[in-house]
Amino acid sequence: MALSISAVVLFGILTVVLMRGRHVSVGSALVLFLFGFFIAGTGAYKPIHDACQAIASTLAHLIA
């Protein structure tokens, strides 16, 4: 049985953990959120998305 988790959920959980551990301030988390939000609307989205897909595919093949 394969477990699939969205990158958004994964990074959201990571952000909450880092904020609760006081490793990242609320301001830093907001800046990173806005950076991700605005980069999604640029031409950089496609190469970044393709790279993430390739990494996820490679990891899936290594685990399976």
Side-chain angles (χ1 to χ4, degrees):
M1 181 173 132
L3 177 64
S4 176
I5 185 166
S6 169
V8 174
V9 172
L10 182 64
F11 286 124
I13 291 169
L14 182 60
T15 301
V16 169
V17 168
L18 289 173
M19 286 177 61
R20 288 189 53 97
R22 307 261 188 226
H23 297 289
V24 176
S25 68
V26 174
S28 298
L30 180 63
V31 167
L32 291 175
F33 169 77
L34 291 174
F35 174 72
F37 181 77
F38 287 115
I39 201 165
T42 67
Y45 167 77
K46 183 72 171 147
I48 293 170
H49 183 265
D50 291 343
C52 290
Q53 284 293 109
I55 291 168
S57 176
T58 302
L59 289 175
H61 287 332
L62 288 176
I63 293 172

